[in-house]
Amino acid sequence: MDRPRKPTLDTVASAVGVSRATVSNAYNRPDQLSAALRERILATAAEMGYTGPDPVARSLATRHSAAVGFMLGQQLSTSFSDPALSVVLDGLASTVDGHDHCLVLMPGRDRGGPRPETVARAQADVVVAYSLPDDAPALAAARARGLPMVVIDQPVLPDTARVEVDDLGGARMAATALRELGHRRFGVVTFALHPDGHSGPVSAERLESAPFRVTRDRLRGYLAVVGAQPVWECARSSRELGRAGARELLSASPRPTALLCASDELAFGALQAVRDLGLRVPADVSVIGFDDVPAAEHADPPLTTVRQPLTEKGRRAGELALRLLDGGRPGEPTRLPVSLVLRDSTAAPE
Amino acid sequence: MDRPRKPTLDTVASAVGVSRATVSNAYNRPDQLSAALRERILATAAEMGYTGPDPVARSLATRHSAAVGFMLGQQLSTSFSDPALSVVLDGLASTVDGHDHCLVLMPGRDRGGPRPETVARAQADVVVAYSLPDDAPALAAARARGLPMVVIDQPVLPDTARVEVDDLGGARMAATALRELGHRRFGVVTFALHPDGHSGPVSAERLESAPFRVTRDRLRGYLAVVGAQPVWECARSSRELGRAGARELLSASPRPTALLCASDELAFGALQAVRDLGLRVPADVSVIGFDDVPAAEHADPPLTTVRQPLTEKGRRAGELALRLLDGGRPGEPTRLPVSLVLRDSTAAPE
DNA sequence: TTGTAAGCGTTATCAA
DNA sequence: TTGATAACGCTTACAA
């Protein structure tokens, strides 16, 4: 079988007996040629099985690809499984969707982010980076390419648009509420401070050198209020790891009366850990989360947590991305408010 | 300011004093030149701010872009908010991630799928279609481009790889279980049969002409067992719509003793609707779902549902996509098993 | 080990 | 309204 070479603009052009430019115009600038000719071109094209300009060639010529890239510090699949992240992406997607751009999710991980080669190859006109460590190679790669960038949460980079939240203040608020209820012995469960897969207790030194700004701030916020207290780091923000971490913290004696978690996912695990030990929330142990993901209010008991406007965060990032695409300047960082949502997982210690 | 034209292979080549091909080799085939020369080239490149071959130009020359496209019948943001879909995408993403391909999510909606123009422009080597109506223009567009395609759930198309599940059998199983418990009066809550945004009661004619195979099969499965019973269609698979639909069905008299839902999301809404009316699940009304999303077992009460292996579905689709990418043949459809998971939302009628 | 030359399939500018 | 012609930036035989 003689492989039937795919028709191109040229093929169609010579079939119709016009120039390539004219065929191009038939697709891109209908007003540049007579309706009759255009009709004829389109008909012949259809007949030949030509589906219109090749997207890659077009992108090469126009130098843009109508796509928004997205890079994150975890596995690609986290985009769909982490509740907080997926709400952010929901917001981002709805913005991008409305403007008919594709959303390009980049794979891979190298010290907390896609590999630089991946970034160098990704077909996108702008990228949004989600909570990458300050030193992620992916960041350098994106900059080097000169890709406009919007950064969610971190890091702070010159010439990038930014959307962020007051993690420090939120954490402080949460810890303060607990202290005012009378709690004095705390345990803190956090997700990764460093992209090294470590799980376990956290030293002050490890905390201070952490490249994940968000984690660092939430932790600092907690500790600023409650003083030096045991901290357990989980490699990822997952229920399972939170459960294990909380169990470790709860095995200390005297036992902490309150658990401060860096995310709702971890808090859900902590809730489970308390039950595992035959204890009750909040009678024996108070648990507080961070994010206010949709599941927080349906947890058992409903989770007290620090709310950040996740959908809005994604939406804003999307708007900024589109603006950069149009040649706009990054402008001042967008700072979204946080607030404490009191539910039933917290109470005064007995 | 004189806009500093971005350096290209050519620029670098002449700066180093070699040919363009050699610079290209320095990046793509390190073994084709001496280490020393390569070193020199890379150094000069770095110095000039050249970040390596432009991805679009490279794609044009090689005719592939290391990206897997994904198209679905709902808004882009559903990818992150629909529990069943996001688990499927989780599986797909983890496969794609491991092979260092980008995942390109296509936006837009036109009769249940991205607009054909969008598909024509998307930069991907293969596309995965998720539960698109048989007549979605997006499908034709993808075919026309000659993009290899893997179809999840539907439609059945020649020359495409396929992953599917026995929706009909699963629904039948669920309905049978309820009948055997003694239920005789049912209500059925379904998501869209047609991509027209309609919500309300469903006629037999509307059911039979439905272009959404999955919906049709689940419904047929239910009705085959329970006979002609009232069906309420929701425009989307959402808790809110499920709640409203269930409320309608429950207002009939005599009241149905069991609600058959086409998805867990709808079932969660139905659970709520039963409570809204001051009734109890399962004492007054039994509720059954479909999918077995993670939240099903944590629902109140834990939801009886038809399990389909969602993660596996995505993972298989990913593997098929990668195989097609390597020039493989579509092969036989992959059919994944379903099973009934009995939890606490079903019981014998009083 | 390096270079030459012919693509890859478009868009865009400007003249006819 | 249409057509030359020159980009766009790269890969890859094949020849040197």
Side-chain angles (χ1 to χ4, degrees):
Chain A
M1 116 186 172
D2 46 338
R3 81 195 162 97
R5 209 131 190 36
K6 263 183 109 179
T8 72
L9 263 194
D10 262 322
T11 333
V12 177
S14 53
V16 181
V18 296
S19 85
R20 188 170 46 186
T22 302
V23 179
S24 172
N25 282 333
Y27 285 95
N28 302 309
R29 310 188 174 175
D31 49 311
Q32 294 295 295
L33 44 86
S34 63
L37 177 55
R38 171 152 195 265
E39 224 19 83
R40 220 174 83 226
I41 292 177
L42 262 28
T44 323
E47 198 171 292
M48 304 180 66
Y50 178 73
T51 3
D54 176 279
V56 177
R58 179 201 297 250
S59 288
L60 178 59
T62 59
R63 279 187 297 295
H64 57 293
S65 44
V68 174
F70 185 82
M71 45 195 207
L72 78 169
Q74 295 97 40
Q75 305 194 122
L76 197 41
S77 66
T78 321
S79 314
F80 306 101
S81 57
D82 181 78
L85 173 51
S86 55
V87 175
V88 171
L89 277 165
D90 182 348
L92 177 62
S94 61
T95 307
V96 165
D97 196 352
H99 291 254
D100 218 55
H101 283 252
C102 286
L103 187 56
V104 177
L105 270 26
M106 301 186 202
R109 221 169 8 150
D110 179 15
R111 289 194 283 138
R115 297 169 40 230
E117 298 79 26
T118 304
V119 178
R121 289 172 133 88
Q123 255 140 65
D125 304 321
V126 54
V127 292
V128 358
Y130 180 84
S131 203
L132 255 31
D134 298 345
D135 58 355
L139 255 14
R143 315 223 66 183
R145 265 186 68 177
L147 279 178
M149 182 150 60
V150 9
V151 172
I152 299 182
D153 284 343
Q154 77 163 110
V156 174
L157 245 36
D159 284 327
T160 57
R162 240 158 53 229
V163 183
E164 53 189 28
V165 128
D166 184 10
D167 291 289
L168 192 77
R172 200 178 262 146
M173 238 158 54
T176 304
L178 249 20
R179 253 199 82 92
E180 285 176 352
L181 281 172
H183 291 274
R184 290 301 175 267
R185 291 194 312 279
F186 297 85
V188 180
V189 186
T190 181
F191 45 72
L193 279 158
H194 292 258
D196 58 5
H198 169 82
S199 285
V202 173
S203 65
E205 200 262 325
R206 184 169 170 89
L207 166 54
E208 286 315 315
S209 64
F212 282 116
R213 205 267 303 149
V214 172
T215 327
R216 217 169 49 211
D217 280 4
R218 293 189 185 174
L219 235 51
R220 281 187 185 152
Y222 286 149
L223 299 180
V225 174
V226 304
Q229 298 276 352
V231 176
W232 187 274
E233 177 178 355
C234 303
R236 282 166 295 108
S237 175
S238 80
R239 246 169 238 236
E240 264 325 300
L241 293 176
R243 183 179 179 181
R247 207 139 41 174
E248 293 285 343
L249 294 170
L250 290 171
S251 68
S253 76
R255 199 172 56 218
T257 61
L259 257 19
L260 297 161
C261 305
S263 74
D264 287 350
E265 273 300 277
L266 293 172
F268 296 145
L271 253 24
Q272 182 62 50
V274 174
R275 274 196 296 273
D276 291 344
L277 297 174
L279 301 171
R280 293 152 310 157
V281 178
D284 302 307
V285 183
S286 283
V287 173
I288 204 163
F290 204 117
D291 287 336
D292 195 24
V293 299
E297 68 173 311
H298 302 115
D300 175 27
L303 188 70
T304 294
T305 188
V306 178
R307 161 179 300 161
Q308 56 164 324
L310 294 166
T311 306
E312 186 61 15
K313 213 164 161 182
R315 199 177 294 142
R316 292 293 184 89
E319 286 163 6
L320 288 170
L322 293 169
R323 184 185 314 164
L324 292 183
L325 223 45
D326 278 346
R329 295 285 315 150
E332 286 304 294
T334 300
R335 200 171 178 93
L336 268 15
V338 296
S339 59
L340 185 62
V341 181
L342 288 166
R343 296 206 182 91
D344 311 332
S345 66
T346 46
E350 297 216 315
Chain B
M1 112 188 175
D2 47 337
R3 83 194 161 94
R5 208 124 193 42
K6 266 184 105 182
T8 72
L9 262 194
D10 261 322
T11 333
V12 177
S14 53
V16 181
V18 298
S19 85
R20 188 170 46 185
T22 303
V23 179
S24 172
N25 282 332
Y27 284 95
N28 301 311
R29 309 188 173 176
D31 49 311
Q32 295 295 295
L33 40 70
S34 65
L37 178 55
R38 172 154 196 266
E39 224 19 84
R40 221 172 84 225
I41 292 177
L42 262 29
T44 323
E47 199 169 292
M48 305 180 65
Y50 179 73
T51 1
D54 175 279
V56 177
R58 178 201 297 249
S59 288
L60 178 58
T62 59
R63 281 188 297 298
H64 57 292
S65 44
V68 175
F70 185 82
M71 46 195 207
L72 77 169
Q74 295 97 40
Q75 305 196 121
L76 197 42
S77 65
T78 321
S79 315
F80 306 102
S81 57
D82 181 79
L85 173 51
S86 55
V87 174
V88 171
L89 277 165
D90 181 347
L92 177 62
S94 61
T95 306
V96 165
D97 196 352
H99 290 253
D100 218 54
H101 282 251
C102 286
L103 187 56
V104 176
L105 270 26
M106 301 185 202
R109 223 170 5 152
D110 179 14
R111 288 194 285 139
R115 297 170 37 231
E117 298 79 24
T118 304
V119 178
R121 289 172 132 88
Q123 255 139 63
D125 305 321
V126 54
V127 293
V128 176
Y130 179 84
S131 201
L132 253 30
D134 298 345
D135 57 355
L139 292 170
R143 312 223 68 181
R145 265 186 67 177
L147 278 177
M149 182 150 61
V150 9
V151 172
I152 299 181
D153 283 342
Q154 77 165 108
V156 173
L157 244 37
D159 283 328
T160 57
R162 240 157 55 229
V163 183
E164 54 189 28
V165 127
D166 183 10
D167 291 289
L168 192 77
R172 198 176 264 146
M173 237 160 52
T176 304
L178 247 22
R179 254 198 81 91
E180 286 176 351
L181 281 172
H183 290 275
R184 290 299 176 269
R185 291 194 311 279
F186 297 84
V188 180
V189 186
T190 181
F191 44 71
L193 280 157
H194 292 257
D196 58 5
H198 168 81
S199 286
V202 173
S203 65
E205 199 263 325
R206 186 171 168 89
L207 165 55
E208 285 316 313
S209 63
F212 283 116
R213 205 266 304 149
V214 172
T215 327
R216 217 170 47 211
D217 279 4
R218 293 188 186 174
L219 235 51
R220 281 187 185 154
Y222 286 150
L223 299 181
V225 174
V226 304
Q229 298 277 349
V231 177
W232 187 274
E233 175 178 358
C234 302
R236 283 166 293 109
S237 175
S238 80
R239 248 170 237 236
E240 265 325 299
L241 293 176
R243 184 179 179 180
R247 208 140 40 176
E248 294 285 344
L249 293 171
L250 290 171
S251 68
S253 77
R255 198 172 57 219
T257 61
L259 256 21
L260 298 161
C261 304
S263 74
D264 287 350
E265 274 300 277
L266 292 172
F268 296 145
L271 252 24
Q272 183 62 49
V274 175
R275 274 195 296 272
D276 291 344
L277 297 174
L279 302 171
R280 293 152 308 157
V281 177
D284 301 307
V285 183
S286 284
V287 173
I288 205 162
F290 204 115
D291 286 337
D292 195 26
V293 300
E297 67 175 310
H298 302 114
D300 175 28
L303 187 70
T304 293
T305 188
V306 178
R307 161 178 300 161
Q308 56 163 324
L310 295 166
T311 306
E312 186 61 16
K313 213 164 161 182
R315 197 177 295 143
R316 291 293 184 90
E319 286 162 6
L320 287 171
L322 293 169
R323 184 185 314 164
L324 293 183
L325 222 45
D326 280 347
R329 295 285 314 150
E332 286 304 296
T334 301
R335 200 170 178 95
L336 268 16
V338 296
S339 59
L340 184 61
V341 181
L342 288 165
R343 297 209 182 88
D344 310 333
S345 67
T346 46
E350 297 215 317

